[in-house]
């Protein structure tokens, strides 16, 4: 089959090859717009912007991107990362303090009922340093690593989802945006009060026309005559803390200096600015009811130029980068909630008797408990490894954080639903926590990037590197005599990846069969990715069902690598301390997870060849056309 793709007029090979990642970077919808309005200037402009957003420069190969190339970049996953010993003691003390505070002051049921997080809880968390956990000590922060911070978020998430989301907004998207993109002057001015909790933060991106399609921001910021201010006009919706925050990072569209173009720019906004209007301070909602979700408007609101956060036109980079951090803590708080679900299910299964036996004696309940334990084990491993990537300086971890977000939010949904089922009718009533946890968990699959959008993103960004390899082969083939050596080497590399399973270097003998299985699956995955690229070519951009299988297989492989690494480390520790039983429950949960995960990955790959895609599309098209009626 010829590999040569058709180019649009004026489109270069390079543009085409980058389409995959680019489209995902723009949350797919920008590309849809490009297709509707295929102005070439527009296309080139969007491609340049997205390229810059995603691929700032040469970067080390991360673990997820490695999988798409048929490689296992072991260094990022193995040995299983641990918090540095010097930090561990401080973390233990912080966790101890935090647990005592939460035991005494945090009442998640009351927070849900009253739809508010009491000020004393916010002040207490601030006193414990939670809002500045990873901020440098110069700004009053604790200077913790991302891994240590995740332990803190796991603890909060295990108790109250509203509080976890509140902290995530304050710390990950509020403070982090300033730390990464603020000028020294902005950091000095804004960071200390945020870290101390004297000021609350909000992050305002979403609008009616800019939900999943984040690039489609319509709020505008026009410079005034002398250029000292911007006048912001527009509306934002669904903004956590929007009406109670004193510092808001707002995304607005600005003209680009010297060009007839606009782009999204980030601004630091305070509610005392004239023209700042709260349309609705607390939108009534299903879950995480303790958080205050607002609708806001800006009516020709003057914002000083010095409040611009990051460079003009680089607002989406600010947004994507801070959301990346946010997704790691999502993983941690989902893991905490998952452990609570497991504990509640086990307590009930051991206590409740029906048919003369405890529920836990029935195999169908055992299956739920085992599945929950396996899921919680992998969620924790994946969160820990992903957080360590940030601590260890991997520059581009977008794929891993996207995988973590999709995997842990779906796993938590499964866990909360299974715990609910184990409780039967008892879970339905408000005197137990599970109905609240079920309502709270639903937002996770929608917020900070809907899971469907991230699934597409994982597949398309992941396939970018193998897509580039094909491009290089193509380019070299155009001049085969001059480049014969390159063709030979690139060809070998491709074929090599296809026939050799990468080594997965575990230390415990007991792990060898699992490691071998993982290596073999990575090889198969790479073959399927290459086949999909060859078979679908540019149409892969629209084949979301194919993308989904690729993303799901990749997620399972990443989750397996994390769980395997954790289990290997536990076995090693057990070897040094024979008191630890290698057949302990955590080990059988690890084994169960790996078995299921390998099976799910294999199924996704098998469905690349045997699936219902045509029937799915035909049915959906028919139903959509007929307004949902069968008659
Ligand atoms: C409680 C709450 C708090 C929030 N807090 C904030 C906040 O603090 N700041 C902020 O800026 N935003 C916030 N949001 C907004 C949130 O990020 C958006 O709701 C989310 O990005 C999805 O956008 P949308 O709701 O407009 O859904 P839409 O974009 O309309 O999407 C609807 C559904 O369509 C599907 N979909 C969309 N695009 C695609 C695609 N390309 N391919 C396949 N399927 C697709 C997805 O399943 C998605 O769930 C919050 C939302 C909620 C509910």
């Amino acid at each position: 089959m010829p590999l040569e793709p058709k180019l649009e007029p004026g489109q270069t090979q390079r543009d085409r090859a980058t389409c995959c990642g680019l489209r995902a970077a723009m949350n797919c919808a920008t590309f849809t717009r490009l297709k509707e309005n295929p102005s070439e200037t527009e296309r080139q402009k969007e491609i340049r912007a997205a390229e810059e957003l995603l691929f700032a420069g040469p970067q080390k190969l991360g673990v997820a991107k490695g999988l798409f190339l048929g490689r296992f970049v072991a260094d990022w996953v193995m040995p299983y990362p641990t918090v540095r010993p010097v930090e561990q003691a401080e973390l233990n003390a912080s966790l101890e303090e935090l647990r005592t505070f939460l035991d005494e002051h945090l009442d998640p049921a009351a927070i849900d009922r009253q739809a508010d997080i009491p000020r004393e809880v916010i002040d207490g968390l601030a006193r414990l340093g939670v809002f500045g956990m990873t901020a440098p000590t110069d700004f009053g922060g604790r200077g913790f690593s991302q891994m240590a911070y995740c332990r803190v978020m796991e603890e909060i998430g295990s108790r109250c989802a509203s509080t976890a989301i509140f902290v995530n907004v304050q710390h990950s998207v509020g403070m982090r945006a300033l730390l990464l993109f603020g000028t020294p002057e902005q950091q000095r001015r804004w960071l200390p009060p945020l870290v101390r909790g004297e000021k609350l933060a909000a992050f305002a991106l979403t609008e009616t026309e800019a939900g999943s399609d984040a690039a489609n921001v319509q709020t505008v910021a026009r410079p005034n005559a002398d250029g000292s201010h911007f006048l912001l006009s527009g509306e934002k919706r669904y903004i956590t803390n929007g009406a109670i925050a004193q510092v808001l990072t707002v995304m607005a569209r600005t003209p680009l200096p010297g060009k007839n173009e606009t782009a999204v720019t980030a601004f630091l906004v305070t509610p005392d600015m004239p023209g700042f209007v709260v349309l609705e301070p607390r939108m009534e909602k299903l879950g995480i009811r303790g958080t205050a979700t607002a609708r806001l408007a800006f009516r020709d609101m003057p914002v000083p130029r010095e409040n611009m956060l990051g460079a003009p036109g680089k607002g989406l980079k600010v947004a994507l980068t801070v959301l990346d951090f946010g997704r790691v803590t999502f993983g941690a708080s989902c893991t905490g909630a998952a452990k609570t679900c497991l504990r509640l299910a086990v307590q009930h299964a051991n206590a409740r008797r029906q048919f003369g036996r405890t529920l836990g004696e029935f195999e169908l309940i055992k299956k739920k408990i085992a599945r929950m334990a396996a899921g919680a084990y992998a969620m924790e491993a994946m969160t820990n490894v992903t957080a360590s990537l940030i601590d260890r300086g991997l520059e581009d971890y977008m794929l891993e954080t996207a995988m973590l977000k999709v995997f842990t939010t779906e796993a938590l949904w499964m866990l909360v639903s299974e715990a609910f089922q184990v409780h039967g009718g008892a879970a339905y009533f408000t005197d137990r926590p599970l109905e609240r946890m079920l309502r709270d968990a639903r937002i996770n699959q929608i917020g900070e990037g809907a899971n469907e959008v991230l699934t597409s993103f994982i597949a398309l960004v992941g396939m970018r590197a193998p897509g580039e390899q094909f491009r290089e082969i193509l380019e070299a083939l155009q001049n085969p005599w001059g480049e014969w050596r390159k063709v030979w080497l690139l060809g070998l590399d491709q074929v090599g990846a296809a026939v050799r399973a990468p080594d997965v270097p575990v230390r415990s003998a007991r792990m060898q069969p699992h490691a071998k299985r993982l290596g073999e699956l990575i090889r198969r995955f790479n073959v399927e990715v290459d086949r999909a690229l060859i078979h679908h070519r540019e149409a892969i951009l629209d084949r979301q069902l194919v993308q989904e299988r690729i993303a799901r297989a990749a997620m399972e492989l990443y989750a397996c690598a994390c769980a395997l690494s954790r289990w290997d480390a536990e076995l090693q520790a057990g070897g040094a301390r024979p008191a630890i039983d290698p057949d302990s429950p955590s080990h059988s949960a690890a084994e169960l997870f790996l078995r299921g995960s390998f099976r799910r990955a294999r199924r996704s790959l098998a469905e690349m060849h045997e699936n219902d895609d045509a029937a799915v599309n035909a049915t959906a098209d028919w139903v959509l056309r007929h307004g949902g009626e069968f008659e």
Side-chain angles (χ1 to χ4, degrees):
M1 181 169 310
L3 285 175
E4 183 68 88
K6 281 205 187 81
L7 296 178
E8 301 285 333
Q11 190 186 22
T12 64
Q13 285 278 12
R14 181 147 191 272
D15 293 338
R16 196 212 61 81
T18 51
C19 271
C20 294
L22 303 175
R23 175 159 166 174
M26 293 187 280
N27 285 343
C28 303
T30 310
F31 266 79
T32 312
R33 283 204 306 278
L34 285 177
K35 276 167 62 183
E36 287 158 1
N37 175 23
S39 134
E40 193 46 36
T41 335
E42 183 74 357
R43 175 188 282 273
Q44 295 302 331
K45 192 178 78 191
E46 301 264 16
I47 286 176
R48 274 199 311 279
E51 203 164 20
E52 217 180 300
L53 265 181
L54 262 186
F55 313 108
Q59 289 161 355
K60 290 180 210 150
L61 184 65
V63 55
K65 284 191 177 163
L67 295 174
F68 283 84
L69 291 166
R71 298 186 198 152
F72 183 65
V73 191
D75 288 355
W76 292 118
V77 189
M78 293 169 170
Y80 189 62
T82 50
V83 173
R84 284 174 296 124
V86 49
E87 193 182 22
Q88 187 68 56
E90 203 188 332
L91 172 64
N92 291 345
S94 294
L95 281 172
E96 202 51 50
E97 264 187 318
L98 178 67
R99 286 187 191 117
T100 307
F101 172 79
L102 297 176
D103 285 346
E104 289 170 4
H105 299 279
L106 188 82
D107 181 346
I111 286 176
D112 179 62
R113 234 179 3 256
Q114 288 151 17
D116 192 22
I117 302 173
R119 188 69 223 191
E120 62 152 344
V121 171
I122 296 174
D123 290 343
L125 292 172
R127 266 197 312 280
L128 295 171
V130 170
F131 300 145
M133 277 287 164
T134 64
T137 46
D138 295 357
F139 298 114
R142 305 285 301 265
F144 272 9
S145 63
Q146 195 68 22
M147 279 171 73
Y149 175 52
C150 279
R151 302 278 204 285
V152 170
M153 286 307 292
E154 186 186 313
E155 186 61 44
I156 298 172
S158 72
R159 297 166 186 250
C160 177
S162 287
T163 309
I165 299 243
F166 174 85
V167 173
N168 196 28
V169 170
Q170 181 75 3
H171 181 286
S172 292
V173 300
M175 185 207 74
R176 183 68 72 171
L178 270 157
L179 265 181
L180 292 172
F181 296 97
T183 61
E185 174 51 35
Q186 286 173 334
Q187 291 180 343
R188 264 194 306 278
R189 177 174 166 204
W190 303 95
L191 273 176
L194 284 175
V195 165
R196 290 195 296 266
E198 291 160 9
K199 291 194 169 164
L200 302 183
F203 189 80
L205 171 63
T206 304
E207 304 177 0
T208 314
E209 299 303 324
S212 300
D213 185 4
N216 197 30
V217 165
Q218 303 293 310
T219 294
V220 291
R222 294 187 194 86
N224 67 351
D226 65 10
S228 63
H229 283 72
F230 284 84
L231 292 178
L232 259 69
S233 304
E235 292 189 3
K236 298 280 176 186
R237 67 175 183 182
Y238 308 161
I239 307 304
T240 307
N241 286 0
I244 59 172
Q246 288 79 33
V247 185
L248 297 94
T249 304
V250 175
M251 299 295 157
R253 191 163 283 285
T254 54
L256 286 181
K259 293 185 183 168
N260 193 19
E261 294 173 9
T262 61
V264 178
T265 301
F267 291 93
L268 292 163
V269 162
T270 55
D272 56 357
M273 291 174 171
F276 183 100
V277 182
V278 175
L279 297 174
E280 198 176 345
R282 286 175 186 269
M283 302 171 77
E284 257 311 304
K285 59 189 190 292
L286 173 84
I288 56 161
R289 286 170 46 79
T291 61
T293 317
R295 273 198 314 123
L296 306 171
F298 317 116
R299 311 259 195 251
D300 285 332
M301 179 177 74
V303 180
R305 173 172 280 278
E306 59 267 23
N307 283 25
M308 191 186 282
L309 184 62
K314 301 292 179 218
L316 283 183
K317 178 141 192 145
V318 174
L320 287 181
T321 310
V322 298
L323 287 177
D324 230 7
F325 276 94
R327 287 185 194 129
V328 183
T329 39
F330 241 73
S333 43
C334 286
T335 301
K339 288 184 180 177
T340 302
C341 289
L342 179 60
R343 184 173 45 76
L344 292 171
V346 167
Q347 279 168 3
H348 194 74
N350 280 332
R352 171 84 173 148
R353 294 182 74 83
Q354 286 291 279
F355 304 99
R357 295 192 239 168
T358 62
L359 295 180
E361 288 174 74
F362 293 101
E363 272 198 354
L364 289 177
I365 299 296
K366 282 187 213 268
K367 182 179 164 193
K368 293 184 194 305
I369 302 282
R371 193 168 164 230
M372 291 167 77
Y377 184 92
M379 287 166 85
E380 184 174 349
M382 205 166 168
T383 301
N384 198 37
V385 170
T386 310
S388 81
L389 301 179
I390 299 180
D391 292 335
R392 291 168 61 200
L394 179 64
E395 293 141 312
D396 175 5
Y397 40 80
M398 276 191 176
L399 272 186
E400 288 84 355
T401 57
M403 287 180 179
L404 178 71
K405 197 270 183 177
V406 176
F407 181 88
T408 54
T409 58
E410 287 185 354
L412 175 58
W413 188 241
M414 175 276 285
L415 265 121
V416 85
S417 172
E418 294 286 48
F420 205 97
Q421 193 67 16
V422 170
H423 278 74
Y428 220 80
F429 296 91
T430 54
D431 61 333
R432 304 267 180 115
L434 275 166
E435 63 84 30
R436 170 175 49 82
M437 294 183 72
L438 185 87
R439 286 186 285 108
D440 285 348
R442 194 59 187 86
I443 183 61
N444 298 327
Q445 285 145 284
I446 298 168
E448 303 214 6
N451 282 8
E452 289 75 12
V453 174
L454 289 176
T455 299
S456 200
F457 175 92
I458 292 163
L460 293 175
V461 175
M463 283 192 287
R464 188 178 181 269
E468 287 253 308
Q469 281 198 350
F470 284 129
R471 179 183 59 80
E472 283 187 40
I473 294 176
L474 278 176
E475 281 178 358
L477 276 173
Q478 303 200 333
N479 184 6
W481 298 117
E483 299 265 9
W484 65 269
R485 197 164 171 275
K486 196 171 164 195
V487 173
W488 173 248
L489 289 174
L490 282 168
L492 272 187
D493 195 27
Q494 276 303 108
V495 174
V499 295
R500 258 186 284 115
D503 183 37
V504 177
V506 288
R507 290 169 296 174
S508 321
R510 184 171 167 191
M511 309 294 301
Q512 295 296 344
H514 296 294
K516 226 169 143 343
R517 220 163 287 149
L518 177 58
E520 173 53 29
L521 264 173
I522 293 171
R523 184 197 68 79
R524 259 191 74 189
F525 174 65
N526 171 248
V527 171
E528 292 300 344
V529 165
D530 288 355
R531 276 193 190 148
L533 280 166
I534 292 167
H535 180 70
H536 296 287
R537 297 193 286 162
E538 209 165 37
I540 194 85
L541 297 175
D542 289 315
R543 299 299 312 275
Q544 286 197 331
L545 298 175
V546 177
Q547 294 165 19
E548 184 182 34
R549 282 179 208 111
I550 287 173
R552 294 220 160 265
M555 261 186 297
E556 295 293 352
L557 296 180
Y558 180 48
C560 279
C562 298
L564 199 66
S565 173
R566 176 178 173 184
W567 188 14
D568 192 32
E570 287 167 354
L571 285 174
Q572 290 294 309
R577 287 176 291 146
I580 294 182
D581 175 7
D583 293 318
S584 76
S586 118
H587 293 168
S588 69
E591 174 141 23
L592 181 64
F593 176 76
L594 287 173
R595 294 167 69 102
S597 187
F598 287 145
R599 205 163 38 240
R600 287 188 294 276
R602 271 197 297 269
R603 195 180 310 137
S604 287
L605 298 180
E607 284 177 6
M608 297 289 281
H609 304 281
E610 193 184 341
N611 55 59
D612 300 328
D613 291 4
V616 166
N617 280 318
T619 307
D621 288 344
W622 190 89
V623 176
L624 285 163
R625 254 196 328 273
H626 290 80
E629 299 293 336
F630 274 91
E631 302 299 330

